[in-house]
Amino acid sequence: MKIPTWITKHPLIVQFVLITTLLISFVLGYFYPSYREIQAINSFKEIHPDCHVYIKTTQTAPDWVFDLLQKVKLEKYASRIWRMEIHGVFNSSRKLTSEFELDLLPSFQKLRILSVSGCFLNSNSMSNLSQLKHLMQLRMERCEILDDGSLTLHNLESLKEFYSNYLMLKKVDLKNLPRLKTLDLKNARIGDELIDQLSPVSGSLTSLGIANSNISDEGLKKLHHLTKLEFVDLRFTRSSATGHPNFTWEGVTQLKSHPTLENVGISSTFDAEILKKIKAEVPRFVTRWDAPVRPEERERRILEVESNHKLERN
């Protein structure tokens, strides 16, 4: 193939054109995706004006680039967003005021990490969550699930971690979550019946968080059905009128026969003497212990429970 004469006569011009083309391609490739991500989030906000949405992606760009690209009227899209945070609204009494069905959430099919906080969720919300096939980590903070109060997670084949805090629920419905390893339901005040509902993930779950729960010795006994469990979090579980948890130290030590369990989180649950008994009985539970509960803390809890009982009677 013969090279055109003008190329051989003007090599500097050719080099300049090539370098300029590469630079333009780099700039467009770097900024263009971010603009489209912003457009996708804006469409989400149009549907949920009282919902605060934050995104974190691999792309960033200054405002002037967005303004420039706005004039081109580029198509909205959501395929590059991999992390999103959705925050609802509290009133002055710190009560939830926002209810979302999250109906646009299935459009963000590349989501890997999702955090939802401060809102009511209904059955449609849970159904929309279950369409995120690539989701690997899900967090729910201070939310309440309406309808039957069921945490329904189905067909999230990539989900590995679920974290919640003060999630008000009545039961869990887990189905087809083959990679789920961490399930944290701290401060949900769940009871023994929850352990029976974990059977669909019994073959994959390695970490279970049930801090500040109503679990008893019978519930702890059921943990043997979680065949790959390595850690269970029982911290801050002191809710009865005696200032002690619903389970006993003997209930904890029975877990020593679990084939894979290595650590038990139990800080701020038992007194110093009881902790010594547990450590002596199960020496391999050594890495998740903490200081014992102070007597004044137990007294505070007892007074708090008695006060709540009086309010209920009145």
Side-chain angles (χ1 to χ4, degrees):
M1 180 177 177
K2 187 176 180 180
I3 300 176
T5 306
W6 67 269
I7 293 181
T8 57
K9 290 183 176 180
H10 307 284
L12 293 178
I13 295 177
V14 173
Q15 293 177 24
F16 175 78
V17 171
L18 289 175
I19 293 174
T20 302
T21 302
L22 289 174
L23 286 175
I24 292 174
S25 300
F26 172 78
V27 170
L28 289 178
Y30 187 78
F31 292 132
Y32 178 62
S34 284
Y35 169 76
R36 293 188 291 179
E37 291 160 1
I38 295 298
Q39 291 291 78
I41 289 296
N42 286 340
S43 66
F44 191 96
K45 289 181 177 179
E46 289 175 2
I47 303 297
H48 302 298
D50 58 344
C51 177
H52 303 287
V53 180
Y54 305 91
I55 62 170
K56 295 183 180 179
T57 71
T58 55
Q59 306 290 336
T60 57
D63 292 339
W64 66 265
V65 177
F66 296 145
D67 295 336
L68 177 64
L69 293 176
Q70 180 69 47
K71 299 176 183 178
V72 188
K73 297 181 180 180
L74 297 175
E75 182 182 5
K76 300 176 182 178
Y77 94 126
S79 63
R80 288 183 61 90
I81 294 177
W82 65 273
R83 178 170 180 168
M84 181 186 294
E85 299 176 9
I86 300 175
H87 302 278
V89 180
F90 291 90
N91 63 17
S92 58
S93 301
R94 296 299 294 168
K95 293 183 179 179
L96 302 180
T97 61
S98 306
E99 179 180 345
F100 302 133
E101 293 191 358
L102 305 178
D103 47 322
L104 278 183
L105 206 55
S107 299
F108 300 90
Q109 280 298 309
K110 297 297 184 179
L111 274 182
R112 299 293 193 274
I113 301 174
L114 173 64
S115 176
V116 182
S117 67
C119 58
F120 293 108
L121 303 173
N122 55 33
S123 57
N124 288 336
S125 308
M126 306 310 297
S127 176
N128 287 323
L129 280 172
S130 293
Q131 297 185 49
L132 300 176
K133 302 301 182 182
H134 296 284
L135 193 65
M136 301 176 67
Q137 182 185 106
L138 175 61
R139 292 180 179 270
M140 290 185 178
E141 301 263 343
R142 296 186 179 275
C143 292
E144 183 173 347
I145 301 177
L146 305 176
D147 303 325
D148 62 349
S150 175
L151 173 64
T152 304
L153 297 177
H154 291 174
N155 304 319
L156 293 173
E157 298 180 0
S158 299
L159 190 66
K160 295 182 179 180
E161 303 172 1
F162 177 86
Y163 300 96
S164 71
N165 192 13
Y166 293 102
L167 178 64
M168 301 296 104
L169 53 86
K170 296 179 181 178
K171 62 180 180 179
V172 296
D173 182 8
L174 309 177
K175 193 176 299 181
N176 193 21
L177 307 174
R179 298 185 180 182
L180 187 66
K181 294 184 177 296
T182 299
L183 180 65
D184 191 345
L185 300 172
K186 58 178 173 289
N187 297 312
R189 309 300 298 158
I190 43 84
D192 294 346
E193 67 281 357
L194 171 86
I195 308 302
D196 293 324
Q197 298 166 15
L198 300 183
S199 56
V201 294
S202 60
S204 63
L205 206 63
T206 61
S207 177
L208 176 62
I210 46 177
N212 193 16
S213 68
N214 291 320
I215 296 292
S216 69
D217 285 357
E218 187 62 28
L220 294 181
K221 186 177 181 180
K222 295 178 180 180
L223 292 179
H224 285 82
H225 299 305
L226 304 178
T227 56
K228 292 187 177 182
L229 194 64
E230 299 175 1
F231 169 63
V232 59
D233 186 1
L234 303 173
R235 298 174 299 160
F236 304 104
T237 308
R238 306 177 68 84
S239 58
S240 66
T242 62
H244 292 287
N246 290 332
F247 55 83
T248 65
W249 73 271
E250 291 91 347
V252 175
T253 57
Q254 73 177 339
L255 295 175
K256 67 181 179 181
S257 61
H258 194 289
T260 60
L261 188 65
E262 291 293 335
N263 301 297
V264 178
I266 205 154
S267 65
S268 300
T269 300
F270 287 115
D271 298 329
E273 291 302 317
I274 295 180
L275 282 178
K276 290 180 181 178
K277 292 181 180 179
I278 297 176
K279 288 183 178 181
E281 185 71 20
V282 196
R284 81 169 190 266
F285 293 168
V286 294
T287 64
R288 301 281 182 159
W289 305 101
D290 206 342
V293 176
R294 298 188 299 273
E296 57 268 26
E297 173 63 17
R298 184 193 296 116
E299 293 174 4
R300 186 191 68 79
R301 285 291 185 98
I302 295 173
L303 291 174
E304 182 180 288
V305 172
E306 291 177 348
S307 176
N308 290 337
H309 288 169
K310 289 179 180 179
L311 290 174
E312 292 173 0
R313 288 195 295 269
N314 294 334

